[in-house]
Structure formats: structure tokens, C-alpha cells
Short mmCIF file of all heavy atoms in Angstrom, two decimals:
data_model
loop_
_atom_site.label_atom_id
_atom_site.label_comp_id
_atom_site.label_asym_id
_atom_site.label_seq_id
_atom_site.Cartn_x
_atom_site.Cartn_y
_atom_site.Cartn_z
N PHE A 24 -2.22 -7.51 14.56
CA PHE A 24 -1.74 -6.90 13.33
C PHE A 24 -2.91 -6.44 12.46
O PHE A 24 -2.95 -5.31 11.97
CB PHE A 24 -0.87 -7.91 12.58
CG PHE A 24 -0.19 -7.37 11.36
CD1 PHE A 24 1.02 -6.70 11.46
CD2 PHE A 24 -0.75 -7.56 10.11
CE1 PHE A 24 1.65 -6.21 10.32
CE2 PHE A 24 -0.12 -7.07 8.97
CZ PHE A 24 1.07 -6.40 9.08
N VAL A 25 -3.90 -7.32 12.28
CA VAL A 25 -5.06 -6.99 11.46
C VAL A 25 -5.89 -5.89 12.11
O VAL A 25 -6.36 -4.96 11.44
CB VAL A 25 -5.91 -8.26 11.22
CG1 VAL A 25 -7.22 -7.91 10.51
CG2 VAL A 25 -5.12 -9.28 10.41
N ALA A 26 -6.08 -5.99 13.45
CA ALA A 26 -6.86 -4.97 14.15
C ALA A 26 -6.22 -3.60 14.04
O ALA A 26 -6.91 -2.59 13.87
CB ALA A 26 -7.02 -5.37 15.62
N GLY A 27 -4.89 -3.53 14.14
CA GLY A 27 -4.19 -2.26 13.99
C GLY A 27 -4.35 -1.67 12.60
O GLY A 27 -4.50 -0.45 12.43
N PHE A 28 -4.31 -2.55 11.58
CA PHE A 28 -4.47 -2.08 10.20
C PHE A 28 -5.88 -1.53 9.97
O PHE A 28 -6.05 -0.44 9.42
CB PHE A 28 -4.20 -3.23 9.24
CG PHE A 28 -4.46 -2.91 7.80
CD1 PHE A 28 -3.57 -2.15 7.07
CD2 PHE A 28 -5.62 -3.35 7.17
CE1 PHE A 28 -3.81 -1.83 5.74
CE2 PHE A 28 -5.87 -3.05 5.85
CZ PHE A 28 -4.97 -2.29 5.13
N VAL A 29 -6.90 -2.26 10.42
CA VAL A 29 -8.28 -1.82 10.22
C VAL A 29 -8.54 -0.53 11.01
O VAL A 29 -9.23 0.38 10.54
CB VAL A 29 -9.26 -2.93 10.64
CG1 VAL A 29 -10.70 -2.44 10.51
CG2 VAL A 29 -9.05 -4.16 9.78
N THR A 30 -7.98 -0.44 12.22
CA THR A 30 -8.15 0.77 13.03
C THR A 30 -7.59 1.99 12.32
O THR A 30 -8.20 3.06 12.29
CB THR A 30 -7.46 0.60 14.39
OG1 THR A 30 -8.04 -0.51 15.08
CG2 THR A 30 -7.62 1.85 15.24
N ALA A 31 -6.40 1.84 11.72
CA ALA A 31 -5.79 2.96 11.00
C ALA A 31 -6.62 3.37 9.80
O ALA A 31 -6.80 4.56 9.53
CB ALA A 31 -4.38 2.58 10.57
N ILE A 32 -7.16 2.39 9.07
CA ILE A 32 -7.97 2.70 7.88
C ILE A 32 -9.26 3.42 8.28
O ILE A 32 -9.67 4.41 7.64
CB ILE A 32 -8.28 1.42 7.10
CG1 ILE A 32 -6.99 0.80 6.54
CG2 ILE A 32 -9.25 1.71 5.96
CD1 ILE A 32 -6.22 1.68 5.60
N VAL A 33 -9.91 2.95 9.35
CA VAL A 33 -11.15 3.58 9.80
C VAL A 33 -10.88 5.00 10.29
O VAL A 33 -11.64 5.93 9.99
CB VAL A 33 -11.81 2.73 10.90
CG1 VAL A 33 -12.99 3.47 11.51
CG2 VAL A 33 -12.28 1.40 10.33
N ASP A 34 -9.81 5.19 11.05
CA ASP A 34 -9.48 6.54 11.52
C ASP A 34 -9.13 7.47 10.35
O ASP A 34 -9.41 8.67 10.40
CB ASP A 34 -8.31 6.48 12.50
CG ASP A 34 -8.71 5.88 13.84
OD1 ASP A 34 -9.92 5.74 14.09
OD2 ASP A 34 -7.81 5.54 14.63
N LEU A 35 -8.51 6.90 9.34
CA LEU A 35 -8.16 7.71 8.17
C LEU A 35 -9.41 8.17 7.42
O LEU A 35 -9.38 9.21 6.75
CB LEU A 35 -7.25 6.91 7.25
CG LEU A 35 -6.76 7.59 5.97
CD1 LEU A 35 -5.88 8.79 6.32
CD2 LEU A 35 -6.00 6.61 5.09
N SER A 36 -10.49 7.42 7.53
CA SER A 36 -11.70 7.78 6.79
C SER A 36 -12.39 9.02 7.35
O SER A 36 -13.16 9.67 6.64
CB SER A 36 -12.69 6.61 6.82
OG SER A 36 -13.15 6.37 8.14
N ILE A 37 -12.10 9.38 8.60
CA ILE A 37 -12.80 10.52 9.21
C ILE A 37 -12.51 11.84 8.49
O ILE A 37 -13.45 12.57 8.13
CB ILE A 37 -12.45 10.61 10.71
CG1 ILE A 37 -13.00 9.38 11.44
CG2 ILE A 37 -13.01 11.88 11.33
CD1 ILE A 37 -12.66 9.33 12.91
N PRO A 38 -11.23 12.20 8.25
CA PRO A 38 -11.02 13.45 7.49
C PRO A 38 -11.57 13.37 6.07
O PRO A 38 -11.96 14.41 5.51
CB PRO A 38 -9.48 13.62 7.51
CG PRO A 38 -8.94 12.28 7.84
CD PRO A 38 -9.95 11.64 8.72
N LEU A 39 -11.61 12.17 5.49
CA LEU A 39 -12.21 12.05 4.16
C LEU A 39 -13.71 12.33 4.21
O LEU A 39 -14.27 12.97 3.32
CB LEU A 39 -11.96 10.64 3.60
CG LEU A 39 -10.51 10.25 3.35
CD1 LEU A 39 -10.42 8.83 2.80
CD2 LEU A 39 -9.84 11.23 2.40
N PHE A 40 -14.35 11.83 5.26
CA PHE A 40 -15.78 12.09 5.43
C PHE A 40 -16.04 13.59 5.60
O PHE A 40 -17.00 14.13 5.04
CB PHE A 40 -16.32 11.33 6.64
CG PHE A 40 -16.33 9.84 6.47
CD1 PHE A 40 -16.48 9.00 7.56
CD2 PHE A 40 -16.21 9.27 5.21
CE1 PHE A 40 -16.49 7.62 7.41
CE2 PHE A 40 -16.22 7.89 5.04
CZ PHE A 40 -16.36 7.07 6.15
N ILE A 41 -15.18 14.25 6.38
CA ILE A 41 -15.34 15.69 6.58
C ILE A 41 -15.22 16.43 5.24
O ILE A 41 -15.99 17.35 4.94
CB ILE A 41 -14.30 16.21 7.58
CG1 ILE A 41 -14.54 15.59 8.96
CG2 ILE A 41 -14.34 17.74 7.67
CD1 ILE A 41 -13.47 15.94 9.98
N GLY A 42 -14.26 16.01 4.42
CA GLY A 42 -14.09 16.64 3.11
C GLY A 42 -15.30 16.41 2.22
O GLY A 42 -15.74 17.32 1.51
N ARG A 43 -15.85 15.19 2.24
CA ARG A 43 -17.01 14.90 1.40
C ARG A 43 -18.24 15.71 1.85
O ARG A 43 -18.98 16.25 1.02
CB ARG A 43 -17.33 13.41 1.43
CG ARG A 43 -16.36 12.58 0.60
CD ARG A 43 -16.81 11.14 0.49
NE ARG A 43 -15.93 10.37 -0.36
CZ ARG A 43 -16.01 10.30 -1.67
NH1 ARG A 43 -16.97 10.99 -2.30
NH2 ARG A 43 -15.17 9.58 -2.38
N ILE A 44 -18.46 15.77 3.17
CA ILE A 44 -19.60 16.53 3.67
C ILE A 44 -19.46 18.02 3.32
O ILE A 44 -20.43 18.68 2.92
CB ILE A 44 -19.75 16.34 5.19
CG1 ILE A 44 -20.13 14.89 5.49
CG2 ILE A 44 -20.78 17.30 5.76
CD1 ILE A 44 -20.15 14.56 6.97
N THR A 45 -18.24 18.53 3.44
CA THR A 45 -18.00 19.93 3.05
C THR A 45 -18.28 20.13 1.57
O THR A 45 -18.87 21.15 1.16
CB THR A 45 -16.55 20.32 3.35
OG1 THR A 45 -16.27 20.09 4.74
CG2 THR A 45 -16.29 21.78 3.03
N GLY A 46 -17.90 19.16 0.75
CA GLY A 46 -18.19 19.24 -0.68
C GLY A 46 -19.68 19.19 -0.98
O GLY A 46 -20.18 19.93 -1.84
N TYR A 47 -20.41 18.31 -0.27
CA TYR A 47 -21.86 18.24 -0.46
C TYR A 47 -22.53 19.57 -0.14
O TYR A 47 -23.40 20.05 -0.88
CB TYR A 47 -22.46 17.15 0.43
CG TYR A 47 -22.04 15.74 0.06
CD1 TYR A 47 -22.08 14.72 1.01
CD2 TYR A 47 -21.60 15.44 -1.22
CE1 TYR A 47 -21.70 13.44 0.69
CE2 TYR A 47 -21.20 14.15 -1.55
CZ TYR A 47 -21.25 13.15 -0.59
OH TYR A 47 -20.87 11.89 -0.91
N VAL A 48 -22.13 20.17 1.00
CA VAL A 48 -22.76 21.42 1.44
C VAL A 48 -22.41 22.56 0.48
O VAL A 48 -23.26 23.39 0.14
CB VAL A 48 -22.32 21.75 2.88
CG1 VAL A 48 -22.83 23.13 3.29
CG2 VAL A 48 -22.83 20.69 3.85
N SER A 49 -21.15 22.62 0.04
CA SER A 49 -20.73 23.73 -0.82
C SER A 49 -21.35 23.66 -2.21
O SER A 49 -21.53 24.70 -2.86
CB SER A 49 -19.20 23.75 -0.93
OG SER A 49 -18.73 22.55 -1.54
N HIS A 50 -21.70 22.43 -2.67
CA HIS A 50 -22.28 22.28 -4.01
C HIS A 50 -23.80 22.18 -3.97
O HIS A 50 -24.43 22.02 -5.02
CB HIS A 50 -21.71 21.05 -4.71
CG HIS A 50 -20.28 21.20 -5.11
ND1 HIS A 50 -19.23 20.86 -4.30
CD2 HIS A 50 -19.71 21.67 -6.26
CE1 HIS A 50 -18.08 21.10 -4.92
NE2 HIS A 50 -18.34 21.60 -6.10
N ALA A 51 -24.39 22.20 -2.79
CA ALA A 51 -25.84 22.06 -2.70
C ALA A 51 -26.53 23.28 -3.33
O ALA A 51 -26.16 24.42 -3.06
CB ALA A 51 -26.26 21.91 -1.24
N LYS A 52 -27.54 23.02 -4.18
CA LYS A 52 -28.27 24.09 -4.84
C LYS A 52 -29.50 24.54 -4.05
O LYS A 52 -30.14 25.50 -4.42
CB LYS A 52 -28.69 23.63 -6.24
CG LYS A 52 -27.51 23.31 -7.14
CD LYS A 52 -27.98 22.88 -8.51
CE LYS A 52 -26.78 22.56 -9.41
NZ LYS A 52 -27.21 22.10 -10.77
N SER A 53 -29.83 23.79 -3.01
CA SER A 53 -30.97 24.17 -2.17
C SER A 53 -30.63 23.82 -0.72
O SER A 53 -29.53 23.41 -0.40
CB SER A 53 -32.24 23.43 -2.62
OG SER A 53 -32.05 22.01 -2.48
N ASP A 54 -31.62 24.01 0.15
CA ASP A 54 -31.40 23.72 1.56
C ASP A 54 -31.34 22.22 1.84
O ASP A 54 -30.86 21.80 2.90
CB ASP A 54 -32.51 24.34 2.42
CG ASP A 54 -32.47 25.87 2.36
OD1 ASP A 54 -31.38 26.39 2.05
OD2 ASP A 54 -33.50 26.51 2.61
#
């Protein structure tokens, strides 16, 4: 039960990471 819950939370973090990285790149003022 606990392993399934943690697995779902970790998998859910992947699209959030993609969104954050996209935000970092789009707001970057330099290379």
C-alpha cells in the first residue's frame, strides 16, 4: 500500500519537473 502511494507521487512529479524546467528556460535572461 505504501509502495504504491510513493510510486504514484514520484511518477506524478515528472510532469511537474518538466513544467519547472520549461519555466526556468523561458525566463532565463542569459545562456
Side-chain angles (χ1 to χ4, degrees):
F24 186 84
V25 173
F28 174 77
V29 177
T30 300
I32 295 300
V33 172
D34 288 347
L35 181 64
S36 66
I37 295 178
L39 296 180
F40 292 164
I41 296 174
R43 285 188 177 275
I44 293 174
T45 304
Y47 293 157
V48 173
S49 62
H50 289 89
K52 297 181 180 179
S53 62
D54 294 337

